[in-house]
Amino acid sequence: MTSFRTLDDVGDVRGKRALVRVDLNVPMQDGAVSDDTRLRATLPTVTELADKGAIVLLLAHFGRPKGEPRPDMSLALVTRPYEHVLGRPVRFIGEWDEAAVATLAPGDVAILENARFDPGEEANDPAFAGRLAVLGDLYVDDAFSAAHRAHASTEGIAHLLPAYAGRAMEAELKALEAALGNPERPVAAVVGGAKVSTKLAVLRHLVAKVDHLIIGGGMANTFLAARGVDVGKSLAEHDLAATAEAILDAAERANCTVHLPYDVVVAKEFAPNPPSLRTCNVHEVAADEMILDIGPAAVEALADVLKTCRTLVWNGPLGAFETPPFDAATVALARTAAALTQEGGLVSVAGGGDTVAALNQAGVAADFTFVSTAGGAFLEWMEGKPLPGVEALKIDRSER
Ligand code: ADP
Ligand code: MG
């Protein structure tokens, strides 16, 4: 049995230097932060440690400077915006240097320069991890979104200092454990998105884990085509027919019921509300039509499946949701999942860049049990891969 030390275990941190790995890799437009979600995600941990009198040193990366200092990727650019979100002063420290850190007082918060300015960061060079580690007395990892990378600031350093999961990391790990680690059954997974090829490992892992696998989006077309359905001009990976069949066979052996749509929304051109729009049975798609969403009858059947489930994990939209009305199935099923969650019968966890956008579009992100904004790390977790940044935080019960 493994577990994690959290901020509940840090003890008295007054005057101690806490190196906190956070995700400050925010999108910028004309020098301003265009989405501060990641900055806000750090607040519980940073505020708690500063209030307890720790000297809080934030470690992060920003962009892809490839091991060299680049003024346009300096975390100095994020310091003022971060100060604004945090609501207290934040220092910027441009070098990983003990003397510079020594000028800070208990309760102070500082951002250290972009760790990727040093080639040792991405190489997970023990020398660079050591150089970071001497700046702190303890290490807190609050950047789940960077945990799929074994870098010095996410992995190497965790072996050199007492290491703890921050509050955002803790919430993410708890939600993921509840969804796929040790979930209440039956478990349903929704997997959608454009292509099977980008999510093969996810599908292979899920068929062995879940009771219901709901496939939508462009990837449903690949499965339908593999089953001999004529999908017309639809986005589909016909060369993956054998792979799709193998996944369906594995599902059958594992007692996982795979749900493919039996009605679909099609059009001759991919445009908002096209004149050729219609809904039909999957066997009635014409040669010049493409499937752009799953149909209303399929959505109703899937809602009935979700009603029998205790746990749901969702990655990928069911249709081309950016273009109306091909968001209808995603929005409808997301609203069902949200309502079931609010009624208390369902634990619902979702993640993925476009998935989060689709749930926001449906206005239900806050009604899911947990929505991960971690992107790559979330997908690797859905593939069942151990995440180096998470593994490095694990402790055996016997060690506690
Ligand atoms: P996520 O970012 O949540 O992991 P993906 O990137 O895998 O999701 O997939 C999202 C994309 O899939 C969206 O751009 C959406 O338009 C596209 N998509 C979904 N269904 C279809 C379809 N039937 N035809 C074409 N594109 C689709
Ligand atoms: Mg995407």
Side-chain angles (χ1 to χ4, degrees):
M1 181 74 187
T2 45
S3 171
F4 308 88
R5 288 191 191 86
T6 70
L7 294 191
D8 295 330
D9 306 306
V10 289
D12 184 7
V13 291
R14 177 155 296 278
K16 286 193 182 160
R17 299 164 304 166
L19 280 164
V20 185
R21 180 56 161 98
V22 286
D23 185 350
L24 303 181
N25 196 26
V26 284
M28 306 280 283
Q29 237 160 37
D30 308 322
V33 173
S34 53
D35 179 351
D36 66 1
T37 309
R38 287 175 166 170
L39 304 187
R40 283 184 282 109
T42 70
L43 296 186
T45 293
V46 172
T47 306
E48 180 174 344
L49 285 169
D51 286 349
K52 284 181 175 164
I55 297 161
V56 182
L57 303 167
L58 301 182
L59 272 175
H61 74 277
F62 187 42
R64 296 175 183 269
K66 306 228 164 87
E68 281 174 35
R70 293 245 324 235
D72 58 325
M73 294 182 190
S74 171
L75 277 167
L77 300 171
V78 181
T79 303
R80 286 307 143 247
Y82 188 69
E83 192 167 61
H84 182 73
V85 169
L86 183 64
R88 44 180 108 184
V90 178
R91 279 261 301 273
F92 172 71
I93 296 184
E95 58 276 290
W96 308 292
D97 175 64
E98 265 201 289
V101 168
T103 62
L104 295 164
D108 282 356
V109 178
I111 296 178
L112 301 178
E113 184 56 286
N114 189 347
R116 290 191 186 169
F117 281 6
D118 191 294
E121 164 66 356
E122 291 184 72
N124 199 8
D125 179 355
F128 185 61
R131 198 171 149 198
L132 296 176
V134 295
L135 305 178
D137 302 303
L138 61 131
Y139 172 71
V140 177
D141 190 353
D142 213 24
F144 178 81
S145 56
H148 56 314
R149 302 198 168 106
H151 291 174
S153 73
T154 61
E155 204 276 342
I157 191 173
H159 300 290
L160 303 176
L161 289 171
Y164 304 87
R167 294 301 181 198
M169 174 71 93
E170 181 186 352
E172 184 103 30
L173 294 176
K174 279 187 179 154
L176 299 188
E177 175 69 13
L180 276 189
N182 192 13
E184 284 199 49
R185 293 192 176 273
V187 186
V190 171
V191 183
K195 288 182 166 183
V196 170
S197 52
T198 60
K199 292 182 183 174
L200 276 178
V202 171
L203 293 165
R204 287 199 182 107
H205 179 61
L206 288 178
V207 293
K209 281 262 172 178
V210 305
D211 304 293
H212 296 277
L213 176 62
I214 294 166
I215 302 179
M219 65 172 70
N221 304 340
T222 298
F223 280 88
L224 290 169
R227 283 267 150 119
V229 174
D230 185 352
V231 297
K233 284 201 300 168
S234 303
L235 172 68
E237 292 166 288
H238 295 281
D239 52 323
L240 287 181
T243 307
E245 281 298 340
I247 289 168
L248 294 173
D249 289 345
E252 196 168 327
R253 284 195 300 277
N255 265 327
C256 166
T257 308
V258 177
H259 301 267
L260 289 169
Y262 44 77
D263 67 339
V264 285
V265 180
V266 298
K268 290 188 171 128
E269 59 284 299
F270 185 23
N273 304 301
S276 59
L277 181 75
R278 70 181 187 108
T279 299
C280 68
N281 183 283
V282 288
H283 296 289
E284 292 164 355
V285 179
D288 60 348
E289 287 178 323
M290 56 193 138
I291 301 171
L292 291 165
D293 199 9
I294 70 170
V299 171
E300 211 169 298
L302 294 175
D304 286 339
V305 171
L306 293 192
K307 282 173 194 152
T308 69
C309 291
R310 304 297 306 274
T311 303
L312 166 68
V313 46
W314 186 329
N315 169 259
L318 298 174
F321 76 101
E322 301 94 333
T323 309
F326 308 113
D327 60 337
T330 304
V331 168
L333 198 64
R335 288 194 177 146
T336 299
L340 292 169
T341 305
Q342 291 305 307
E343 286 160 21
L346 188 70
V347 170
S348 54
V349 175
D354 293 293
T355 309
V356 175
L359 295 183
N360 283 326
Q361 194 167 310
V364 297
D367 294 335
F368 270 55
T369 308
F370 189 79
V371 176
S372 174
T373 54
F378 180 84
L379 267 186
E380 289 200 20
W381 166 79
M382 273 191 87
E383 293 172 359
K385 277 196 197 160
L387 307 183
V390 172
E391 295 301 307
L393 292 177
K394 279 187 180 170
I395 49 165
D396 284 324
R397 271 284 156 80
S398 55
E399 271 182 54
R400 292 198 95 174

